[in-house]
Amino acid sequence: MSYQQIRPSQFITTYGPGAILETRSGPVVIRSMDRLFTDRGLVPSDYAINDVRLTRDPRLNGARIVRLPANAELGLEEKQPIYPTEWFPYWCLCVEHRILYQTRVGCPNCQGLLPRDLQQKAGREAIRFVQACPEGHLDEIDWNYVVHAGSGCQANRGYYRWTGGGGSLRNIIIQCPQCTSSCNFGDVYSRDWRCTERYPELGGRPPQPNCPSRAEIIQRGAANLRLSVTVSALTIPPLTTRLHNVLQDIRILNACNTLRSINSLNGQTFQNCLTSLNPPLRSSELQFIQSHTWPQIEAVLDQIYANSQPAQRTLKEEEFDSLRFAAVQGVSVPSNQMAGPSHFFELRPSDVRIINGPQTQHQLRIAPIHRLRMVVAQLGYQRINDSARMVPVAFNADGIPWVPGVELFGEGIFIDIPGTPLMLGQQRADYWTRAFQLLPADETLHPIHVWWHTLSHRLIRALSVDSGYSSASIAERVFSSQDPDGIRRGGVLLFTVQPGGDGTLGGLIGLVPRFERVLVAALADLNTCSNNPLCEDCVPDGINGSACYSCLLASETSCECRNTHLDRMLLLENLP
């Protein structure tokens, strides 16, 4: 089987267990995470990603975060596959003879092929339809059941005639060569079918399926066949140094907790526990910790414990407060240290700018962040739609649940309105206020969030022109929270990150001195769209207002809300 390379970030945001991956020899389904570690005898704690703020999030349910090891770390050649997969689907279409067949059976008209050649031929021509249900199940289509309308055919030898084609599925007829029963694939595609309750990443099928949902036929390359459910967190002060990161290791924290519970944590006992951890720390990490004094270590441990306790505010609310504070006070690398992998956040207050909006109603604060770190963990996936049941991807190792994650490093621009808060008026704000009142738990429906989210998408398009990054490479993090005095404020972080590097090239923050031009470009044609008047007259329906791909929608890699809760007219009626 040919291999297919994917980046760790792709595995977290797009693929993962239960995803169909297209390889040069055919489609495969990615197996469960535990297979990677158990089959190769790897210890997840050696590849742990430490982030106490994200780990305390209730959505992780106590799970730790583990990254995917690379071939180089395992001492393997770049072309050697390391992640277990399985052929899926096994049904194939012979385009030469118009025969739908199982791989083990083969096309009856393709004679003289060896089994290996037949399998490779089948892989390249795998049928592009599978069945899935909102409960997260995925399986091959039961063609015998479909063609014979549920009765089945005992004489069928594992293949069917596939006739017709063209631009419509209704032109395709599938016929059993033994009993001549047939079906119209257009009718089949539009119907619901019994669910087999299969998770292909786990292997096998339940003997007696009991899934309450009905399955539907879907193309294996459809974007909604597998929707990754992720959670992310910025590394914010004070947890921004390498020492903070290393000391967040679960083995160290558990040992220190034990010592703290008996009031025995000091420099000597800490050094003793470092050398007795099981499994042991890597030598480079051990030497790094031992290069610091006990007062330094103790101060960092206190900060870690303070941030690992359950908080009243969400992760994003904490990040919003920290970014606003950093935009005033700054977070800089000490003058006697180099800005390298030892520091995960840097914002210089001297680089922060205050600019006027086009209507001079508000001033915008533009804060360039020279270094930032983002940790993204995949909790599970959904099928068909984002309201379906989430299938968790966590696996257990040594009694600890783990979820896959990735560390991303880069740069960003934080934008907010200091001083007088944003006050929205006009009709569009009233629409979104009513939508938020119906679903108050969804902060993204609040008109302040919709306003900042819409501005974010416009800025992404404008930044991509001059920054050197494509719009798909610039991501957003929209903030909206209510102050203790009841005033709601918002802001947005636009950033570009990459895995496995110390940062990016500065093309994004390099535009901060000319940000007035970026803002003018973002708002210049806000009242026009090639889909007007349909786009302009669109009334918010709880999903979107005036928003389409011509004027506002962004790449899936950029938008954190899957291109929902946007309204161009809300921004136009309330220009800053």
Side-chain angles (χ1 to χ4, degrees):
M1 181 188 300
S2 298
Y3 72 99
Q4 176 68 36
Q5 290 182 330
I6 60 173
R7 297 187 300 273
S9 57
Q10 286 181 297
F11 186 93
I12 303 304
T13 58
T14 307
Y15 299 109
I20 297 179
L21 180 65
E22 300 293 334
T23 72
R24 285 173 291 180
S25 58
V28 296
V29 66
I30 299 178
R31 301 297 299 271
S32 56
M33 277 286 293
D34 59 323
R35 291 287 303 273
L36 171 64
F37 291 90
T38 57
D39 289 0
R40 295 189 174 275
L42 303 178
V43 180
S45 56
D46 288 340
Y47 306 92
I49 297 176
N50 300 322
D51 193 295
V52 292
R53 292 183 59 251
L54 187 54
T55 303
R56 78 165 191 237
D57 191 293
R59 289 171 290 182
L60 264 72
N61 198 25
R64 301 289 296 177
I65 306 169
V66 63
R67 62 179 175 83
L68 272 69
N71 289 54
E73 291 181 282
L74 303 178
L76 302 174
E77 295 182 2
E78 193 68 23
K79 295 183 178 181
Q80 183 171 344
I82 63 172
Y83 206 94
T85 59
E86 181 180 332
W87 288 101
F88 186 89
Y90 277 96
W91 281 89
C92 312
L93 180 64
C94 177
V95 296
E96 182 179 352
H97 301 108
R98 310 296 294 175
I99 297 291
L100 176 68
Y101 62 93
Q102 285 183 307
T103 303
R104 61 179 178 82
V105 175
C107 173
N109 296 334
C110 292
Q111 303 298 328
L113 290 177
L114 297 175
R116 178 180 177 182
D117 298 330
L118 189 62
Q119 188 180 39
Q120 291 178 343
K121 179 182 177 64
R124 289 196 301 269
E125 301 168 348
I127 190 68
R128 57 189 178 97
F129 299 97
V130 294
Q131 72 174 36
C133 87
E135 292 296 310
H137 303 124
L138 174 69
D139 203 352
E140 311 242 11
I141 299 173
D142 188 345
W143 295 103
N144 192 36
Y145 184 88
V146 167
V147 173
H148 299 92
S151 61
C153 176
Q154 301 299 324
N156 187 272
R157 299 176 182 176
Y159 67 91
Y160 300 91
R161 295 191 180 96
W162 183 284
T163 60
S168 174
L169 296 179
R170 293 190 177 276
N171 296 332
I172 297 174
I173 302 298
I174 308 172
Q175 185 181 52
C176 175
Q178 273 72 42
C179 68
T180 68
S181 296
S182 64
C183 68
N184 182 290
F185 191 55
D187 295 335
V188 169
Y189 191 82
S190 59
R191 290 176 53 191
D192 293 335
W193 298 92
R194 64 181 183 183
C195 178
T196 59
E197 205 171 343
R198 181 190 180 193
Y199 296 107
E201 65 268 30
L202 302 178
R205 292 184 178 86
Q208 294 181 339
N210 193 30
C211 180
S213 296
R214 299 287 289 178
E216 61 183 78
I217 296 176
I218 187 171
Q219 295 194 48
R220 70 167 193 261
N224 64 335
L225 182 59
R226 187 186 188 278
L227 303 170
S228 294
V229 179
T230 61
V231 59
S232 60
L234 283 170
T235 299
I236 58 175
L239 309 175
T240 57
T241 69
R242 184 187 172 195
L243 184 59
H244 285 89
N245 184 256
V246 173
L247 291 179
Q248 289 178 49
D249 191 297
I250 186 62
R251 294 166 291 183
I252 297 176
L253 293 181
N254 286 342
C256 290
N257 280 334
T258 302
L259 293 173
R260 281 165 61 101
S261 66
I262 58 176
N263 296 320
S264 298
L265 181 59
N266 54 51
Q268 184 59 51
T269 57
F270 178 77
Q271 292 295 332
N272 292 338
C273 81
L274 281 182
T275 57
S276 60
L277 295 177
N278 185 28
L281 293 175
R282 294 185 177 183
S283 59
S284 59
E285 295 178 345
L286 181 60
Q287 292 173 5
F288 176 76
I289 296 174
Q290 292 175 339
S291 67
H292 293 78
T293 64
W294 168 244
Q296 291 174 318
I297 295 173
E298 186 178 28
V300 169
L301 284 173
D302 289 341
Q303 293 171 338
I304 293 174
Y305 283 120
N307 281 273
S308 61
Q309 302 303 315
Q312 298 297 322
R313 297 171 70 78
T314 65
L315 291 176
K316 291 185 69 175
E317 288 174 336
E318 289 180 352
E319 293 166 7
F320 188 32
D321 292 343
S322 181
L323 289 170
R324 290 166 62 192
F325 180 82
V328 177
Q329 300 295 327
V331 179
S332 300
V333 177
S335 57
N336 62 340
Q337 299 186 33
M338 295 181 61
S342 295
H343 292 269
F344 300 141
F345 191 93
E346 183 182 3
L347 196 162
R348 305 168 191 163
S350 59
D351 295 336
V352 177
R353 300 189 60 222
I354 304 294
I355 66 174
N356 291 319
Q359 300 295 319
T360 67
Q361 299 292 324
H362 295 280
Q363 289 184 318
L364 298 178
R365 178 166 53 193
I366 315 299
I369 303 176
H370 294 261
R371 288 182 55 80
L372 60 81
R373 172 182 180 254
M374 175 82 72
V375 177
V376 184
Q378 185 180 116
L379 305 180
Y381 63 85
Q382 297 167 306
R383 300 203 190 276
I384 310 301
N385 57 68
D386 57 7
S387 62
R389 169 181 171 267
M390 187 194 78
V391 180
V393 296
F395 68 98
N396 283 280
D398 298 327
I400 301 174
W402 296 86
V403 295
V406 64
E407 290 179 289
L408 303 170
F409 300 90
E411 58 177 306
I413 301 175
F414 173 65
I415 307 164
D416 73 331
I417 296 178
T420 304
L422 177 67
M423 302 299 294
L424 299 180
Q426 304 295 329
Q427 184 178 10
R428 307 294 277 205
D430 294 337
Y431 279 121
W432 289 105
T433 298
R434 289 194 292 269
F436 176 70
Q437 290 172 346
L438 293 174
L439 292 171
D442 190 354
E443 288 284 338
T444 63
L445 279 172
H446 194 281
I448 294 294
H449 189 283
V450 176
W451 189 92
W452 279 103
H453 190 199
T454 305
L455 177 63
S456 170
H457 279 227
R458 299 293 297 189
L459 288 173
I460 287 174
R461 292 192 176 203
L463 285 168
S464 66
V465 175
D466 297 324
S467 66
Y469 299 107
S470 68
S471 60
S473 300
I474 303 174
E476 67 178 4
R477 198 164 181 84
V478 184
F479 303 98
S480 173
S481 67
Q482 187 167 295
D483 290 347
D485 55 5
I487 297 176
R488 183 169 290 272
R489 297 182 182 272
V492 62
L493 173 66
L494 303 176
F495 62 95
T496 180
V497 290
Q498 65 178 8
D502 292 338
T504 42
L505 300 177
L508 197 61
I509 61 176
L511 295 178
V512 170
R514 306 188 300 275
F515 206 82
E516 291 93 341
R517 188 177 72 183
V518 174
L519 184 61
V520 169
L523 303 177
D525 57 348
L526 193 61
N527 62 338
T528 62
C529 176
S530 60
N531 285 329
N532 278 346
L534 295 178
C535 179
E536 182 176 331
D537 294 339
C538 181
V539 176
D541 59 359
I543 299 297
N544 271 333
S546 297
C548 67
Y549 279 103
S550 297
C551 63
L552 204 58
L553 303 190
S555 168
E556 295 293 334
T557 58
S558 298
C559 182
E560 64 176 356
C561 297
R562 290 176 178 165
N563 277 325
T564 61
H565 306 164
L566 295 160
D567 191 353
R568 178 168 52 89
M569 298 308 296
L570 175 68
L571 180 58
L572 182 62
E573 292 177 356
N574 298 274
L575 290 174

